[in-house]
Amino acid sequence: MPEGDTVFRAARALDAVLAGRTVTRSDFRVPAFATVDLAGEPVHSVASRGKHLLMRIGGQVVHSHLKMEGEWRVFRLGEPWRRPAWQARAIIEVPDASAVGFELGTLEIFPAGEEAQRLSYLGPDLLGAEWSALEAVRRLSSSPEMPIAVALGEQRHLAGLGNVYVNELCFLRGILPTRPVADVDLEPLVDLASRVMRANRERAVRTTTGDTHRGRQLWVYGRASEACRRCGTRIEHGRLGRNALELRESWWCPKCQR
């Protein structure tokens, strides 16, 4: 599932292939940007911010968000794509490689000077060079009555956490996902979020248990009715969100989380 660590690795891989090279062909398969042509423009960098991926090309930024199904893949020129062509939303080619964005949840192109303003709503990036735990705590504290699981998933509080990390962090800190923010010791929770995310940014297989074997990487996420790995109690499952239209799946151990 694409969360901050997944997007960080994707941006790094794309940067290694594209940065410092000149675009030979671009193809954006969304109506709003179908006429944009970046051929001849230099690729300055590819970077991530939270769950957002930013390609800085010439005077433009190609901004994408993977959502649930999206991904970027790199191919040698002429190499067959290993996903259907109809799923491609963006193609960026340089002299010896092609970067293809499949099923991107968001794709837009805007002037480079607008990047800071357009992403200003995001909280501190857990994997960013300018990460600030103090600012993340301050932003979380601004929603004292919000359930902590909902608050952690709010990208305006801190950028990069998705539902996997939200559920796992609540377990690791022994916190019920429904507990209001005001009743949570935020500093150690935010510190743990940073440490766990950074520990996983170099791993192809995400783990919060420390075990990378299949089926043993996570404590509670996706494990409804299974035995808690710590105490043996059955994992419970529910849904939480800011409103009925934004409900997300939640898992917890009723004994280990209070």
Side-chain angles (χ1 to χ4, degrees), residues 49 119-125 135 139 155-159:
R49 182 167 175 193
L119 299 179
S120 62
Y121 71 94
L122 290 173
D125 180 1
E135 177 62 12
R139 290 189 177 222
Q155 300 303 295
R156 63 187 173 89
H157 291 150
L158 62 170

Side-chain angles (χ1 to χ4, degrees), residues 3-249:
E3 303 201 17
D5 52 351
T6 304
V7 181
F8 175 87
R9 287 192 299 275
R12 185 171 58 182
L14 289 165
D15 187 73
V17 171
L18 301 177
R21 299 181 180 179
T22 299
V23 176
T24 55
R25 184 175 81 93
S26 67
D27 183 3
F28 300 102
R29 300 179 178 180
V30 294
F33 304 104
T35 61
V36 174
D37 184 4
L38 297 179
E41 299 290 347
V43 181
H44 303 301
S45 67
V46 183
S48 64
R49 182 167 175 193
K51 299 181 184 182
H52 300 259
L53 194 144
L54 305 160
M55 294 180 169
R56 293 144 182 163
I57 303 175
Q60 304 292 314
V61 175
V62 179
H63 168 224
S64 58
H65 193 297
L66 304 182
K67 301 292 184 180
M68 292 291 290
E69 305 295 336
E71 69 170 336
W72 281 91
R73 290 192 180 184
V74 174
F75 303 97
R76 296 186 304 275
L77 288 185
E79 178 185 0
W81 295 351
R82 291 183 293 278
R83 287 191 61 163
W86 61 266
Q87 294 181 351
R89 298 292 179 268
I91 304 165
I92 306 290
E93 289 186 359
V94 293
D96 57 353
S98 179
V100 185
F102 295 98
E103 293 193 294
L104 303 174
T106 296
L107 177 64
E108 60 178 353
I109 303 169
F110 51 77
E114 297 180 8
E115 179 182 327
Q117 179 182 359
R118 284 177 177 259
L119 299 179
S120 62
Y121 71 94
L122 290 173
D125 180 1
L126 281 151
L127 295 179
E130 299 180 359
W131 160 248
S132 171
L134 289 175
E135 177 62 12
V137 169
R138 186 191 71 79
R139 290 189 177 222
L140 283 166
S141 299
S142 69
S143 303
E145 297 181 4
M146 185 177 288
I148 188 60
V150 177
L152 286 172
E154 284 281 344
Q155 300 303 295
R156 63 187 173 89
H157 291 150
L158 62 170
L161 292 181
N163 212 30
V164 176
Y165 278 118
V166 166
N167 281 275
E168 294 295 290
L169 287 167
C170 286
F171 176 84
L172 287 168
R173 286 294 300 162
I175 302 167
L176 276 175
T178 53
R179 189 189 296 184
V181 168
D183 295 341
V184 174
D185 190 356
L186 294 175
E187 290 186 9
L189 176 60
V190 167
D191 176 68
L192 181 63
S194 175
R195 290 190 286 113
V196 172
M197 180 78 78
R198 290 177 183 271
N200 276 299
R201 69 181 176 182
E202 306 296 337
R203 293 186 177 124
V205 177
R206 180 187 299 139
T207 178
T208 57
T209 62
D211 191 333
T212 58
H213 290 87
R214 186 174 181 178
R216 290 155 56 179
Q217 302 103 317
L218 304 174
W219 291 101
V220 292
Y221 180 86
R223 301 189 63 240
S225 298
E226 295 183 34
C228 174
R229 302 186 193 280
R230 181 177 291 165
C231 73
T233 304
R234 288 190 180 277
I235 301 298
E236 296 188 2
H237 169 256
R239 303 179 78 194
L240 287 172
R242 290 188 302 178
N243 54 59
L245 298 177
E246 298 182 5
L247 295 176
R248 292 190 175 188
E249 307 300 320

